[in-house]
């Protein structure tokens, strides 16, 4: 199932079956311990009534995969993101530095043993101090099964309306990068490709302010989405250059494979 339909199912489940909770005094519907499954080669939400900033989507993915944590390099693509920095210069909970530091270990493990269950990295900070940027993601594990790289993401908190559309793209592009780095050491006949993203959240939720918009989306028909181009998971340098270029695209640009 493509991401758009998976996302609509998640919205409907929370609106229909979610428990009412109020963290920080904000009314929220929540389902504990929920997992969504997404084809990482179709990672873009294509719901007309949920308009996304595709420029920010690509910019954030590039920012994370390049190991960055600076405000100045991501703020031009999101006018509100700087509010989550404690000092206005860097983000305490940025994923990029943690992923960049541990990615060589992931590749080493999967190259040494294609069946490994140890190819994991952690993003959570132990005993985090008082901060505006506590990371939502705890850990990510990768596994090669049936010639495909699957990604298992574990989150403490997942806002299905605001966060998931961007998180799924970010984690899928990370899966593409892992494939590309692995394929650098393989003959074409043995290339691995992006498989399934399993995103598990201890709290999968919707804030009350988004309930009405979420209901409108449930009546929408998702738009079709082709698979990501093969070069995005065969060539790490191409992936990074494409994400950087996608930061500056507009609707209908040929680089936006999901709009073709």
């Amino acid at each position: 199932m493509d991401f758009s339909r998976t996302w609509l199912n998640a919205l409907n489940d929370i609106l229909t079956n979610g428990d009412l909770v109020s963290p920080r005094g904000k009314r929220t519907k929540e389902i504990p311990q929920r997992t969504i499954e997404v084809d990482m080669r179709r990672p873009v939400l294509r719901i007309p009534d949920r308009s996304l900033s595709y420029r920010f989507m690509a910019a954030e993915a590039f920012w994370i995969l390049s190991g960055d944590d600076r405000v100045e390099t991501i703020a031009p693509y999101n006018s509100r993101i700087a509010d989550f920095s404690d000092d206005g210069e860097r983000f305490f909970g940025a994923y990029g530095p943690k992923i960049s530091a541990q990615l060589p270990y992931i590749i080493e493990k999967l190259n040494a043993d294609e069946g490994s269950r140890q190819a994991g990295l952690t993003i959570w900070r132990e005993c985090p101090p008082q901060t505006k940027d506590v990371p939502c993601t705890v850990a990510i594990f990768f596994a090669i099964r049936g010639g495909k790289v699957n990604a298992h993401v574990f989150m403490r908190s997942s806002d299905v309306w605001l966060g998931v559309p961007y998180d799924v793209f970010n984690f899928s592009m990370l899966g593409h990068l892992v494939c590309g780095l692995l394929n650098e050491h393989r003959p074409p006949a043995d290339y691995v490709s992006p498989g399934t993203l399993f995103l598990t959240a201890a709290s999968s939720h919707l804030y009350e302010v988004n309930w009405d918009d979420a209901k409108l989306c449930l009546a929408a028909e998702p738009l079709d989405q082709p698979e990501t181009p093969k070069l995005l998971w065969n060539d790490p340098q191409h992936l990074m250059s494409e994400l950087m270029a996608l930061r500056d695209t507009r609707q209908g640009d040929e680089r936006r494979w999901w709009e073709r």
Side-chain angles (χ1 to χ4, degrees):
M1 184 179 295
D2 65 32
F3 176 34
S4 295
R5 297 185 188 280
T6 298
W7 186 75
L8 290 175
N9 288 343
L11 288 184
N12 184 64
D13 192 15
I14 294 174
L15 287 170
T16 304
N17 303 309
D19 297 322
L20 188 62
V21 297
S22 298
R24 304 188 307 281
K26 298 180 179 181
R27 282 167 54 86
T28 309
K29 284 191 175 182
E30 174 189 74
I31 290 181
Q33 191 60 24
R34 194 180 195 283
T35 298
I36 64 172
E37 299 181 18
V38 177
D39 178 354
M40 285 195 286
R41 294 199 63 191
R42 291 184 171 89
V44 181
L45 188 68
R46 298 278 283 148
I47 305 294
D49 291 316
R50 177 61 176 99
S51 58
L52 299 178
S53 171
Y54 290 133
R55 289 189 66 206
F56 172 66
M57 182 184 76
E60 186 180 35
F62 176 83
W63 185 71
I64 290 172
L65 298 190
S66 61
D68 208 344
D69 65 354
R70 293 170 294 167
V71 174
E72 65 178 348
T73 48
I74 192 63
Y77 305 96
N78 186 316
S79 61
R80 298 183 58 190
I81 199 168
D83 295 340
F84 296 95
S85 170
D86 298 317
D87 60 8
E89 296 182 4
R90 297 184 181 275
F91 292 94
F92 171 79
Y95 296 178
K98 298 281 281 187
I99 289 174
S100 181
Q102 298 171 82
L103 199 52
Y105 166 82
I106 299 295
I107 303 306
E108 178 185 355
K109 277 292 178 183
L110 293 177
N111 275 329
D113 178 7
E114 189 164 306
S116 178
R117 300 188 296 260
Q118 299 178 15
L121 61 85
T122 55
I123 291 176
W124 180 252
R125 276 67 159 171
E126 295 84 354
C127 304
Q130 187 66 32
T131 176
K132 292 188 283 186
D133 187 30
V134 177
C136 292
T137 301
V138 177
I140 308 173
F141 276 78
F142 298 91
I144 300 175
R145 296 294 183 268
K148 295 183 181 294
V149 173
N150 298 325
H152 302 260
V153 178
F154 304 91
M155 304 185 74
R156 64 168 182 85
S157 177
S158 179
D159 184 330
V160 174
W161 180 264
L162 290 177
V164 167
Y166 297 102
D167 288 338
V168 163
F169 185 79
N170 291 332
F171 296 135
S172 294
M173 291 303 99
L174 176 58
H176 280 58
L177 179 59
V178 169
C179 287
L181 292 171
L182 289 170
N183 289 339
E184 287 183 324
H185 306 281
R186 292 166 174 257
D190 294 331
Y191 276 2
V192 291
S193 60
T196 302
L197 168 67
F198 299 89
L199 193 155
T200 300
S203 169
S204 183
H205 56 264
L206 283 169
Y207 288 103
E208 183 178 27
V209 68
N210 300 128
W211 292 353
D212 288 341
D213 288 335
K215 291 174 184 176
L216 287 175
C217 284
L218 292 177
E221 182 65 25
L223 300 176
D224 291 336
Q225 179 182 169
E227 291 185 340
T228 54
K230 289 184 178 180
L231 272 177
L232 292 187
W233 49 268
N234 280 347
D235 185 340
Q237 288 73 35
H238 180 80
L239 169 64
M240 297 302 288
S241 65
E242 282 296 290
L243 289 175
M244 187 165 55
L246 283 167
R247 296 184 305 188
D248 302 314
T249 62
R250 296 292 188 272
Q251 185 173 1
D253 190 292
E254 63 179 9
R255 291 183 182 274
R256 290 188 174 187
W257 72 82
W258 57 90
E259 292 179 343
R260 293 173 188 166

